[in-house]
Amino acid sequence: MAGHTQNEITIAAPVDVVWEVTNDLENWPQLFSEYASVEILSREGHKTTFRLTMHPDENGTVWSWVSEREPDRETLTVKARRVETGPFAHMDIHWRYEEVPAGTRMVWTQDFAMKPDAPVDDAWMTDNINRNSKVQMALIRDRVEKIAAERGASAGLTD
């Protein structure tokens, strides 16, 4: 069995602002509530290899891993994957952005499988990712909409 999630949100901001803010890796700790730090390890063309470190969980455990991320501005997509997979056999992530009348639709798709000796199974992780994605996407929406408003960049959006 493998896990698959897809979550989306519409952000009342132009795609240029949403793209810029959500792909600014160095500022992810200010964008996501779960990340304590981001360390850029290398850049090669559009591909960035980086270490994400989370805030301690309820047991005091600090999770950290290395990922690769490659945005494609022309297609409004991002492909990412965990390089250090930890409890995952694999974790592949795809972000897609779409201009819509109300602003920008952002869609996150994650395909993964847990290792047989992982502390949780695919079904548990699917539920966890779905629950957490909704929380993080709502935070991101609010933060990006605030940035867009401060820049006066919300003009041109229709309902």
Side-chain angles (χ1 to χ4, degrees):
M1 185 178 159
H4 172 82
T5 66
Q6 184 167 310
N7 292 277
E8 67 179 63
I9 197 162
T10 298
I11 301 171
V15 70
D16 288 341
V17 175
V18 177
W19 177 268
E20 175 195 335
V21 173
T22 60
N23 285 291
D24 181 359
L25 293 175
E26 288 88 346
N27 283 311
W28 273 15
Q30 288 74 48
L31 190 62
F32 290 82
S33 65
E34 60 191 346
Y35 300 141
S37 67
V38 176
E39 177 188 1
I40 304 300
L41 302 175
S42 68
R43 287 194 189 330
E44 183 179 319
H46 292 291
K47 186 188 300 180
T48 303
T49 303
F50 58 100
R51 175 172 295 283
L52 274 175
T53 302
M54 297 182 77
H55 294 288
D57 66 17
E58 63 277 357
N59 300 316
T61 303
V62 175
W63 298 94
S64 181
W65 63 91
V66 172
S67 289
E68 288 179 342
R69 183 173 173 85
E70 189 164 7
D72 183 337
R73 180 66 179 89
E74 190 173 307
T75 62
L76 294 174
T77 60
V78 179
K79 291 182 182 175
R81 70 179 186 91
R82 281 193 182 202
V83 177
E84 290 179 1
T85 58
F88 294 92
H90 68 88
M91 168 61 86
D92 299 306
I93 303 166
H94 184 256
W95 286 18
R96 180 172 47 87
Y97 302 78
E98 178 184 347
E99 291 184 83
V100 295
T104 303
R105 178 178 299 123
M106 183 173 65
V107 181
W108 294 351
T109 304
Q110 292 171 278
D111 290 296
F112 60 91
M114 303 308 295
K115 291 178 180 173
D117 61 347
V120 298
D121 63 12
D122 293 338
W124 186 95
M125 188 55 73
T126 298
D127 289 342
N128 185 62
I129 289 171
N130 279 328
R131 188 172 40 258
N132 190 55
S133 291
K134 287 173 181 47
V135 170
Q136 295 304 314
M137 289 179 122
L139 282 171
I140 289 168
R141 177 199 59 215
D142 295 348
R143 290 173 177 166
V144 172
E145 287 177 356
K146 182 175 187 240
I147 290 167
E150 288 168 354
R151 293 180 183 179
S154 57
L157 300 178
T158 60
D159 290 324

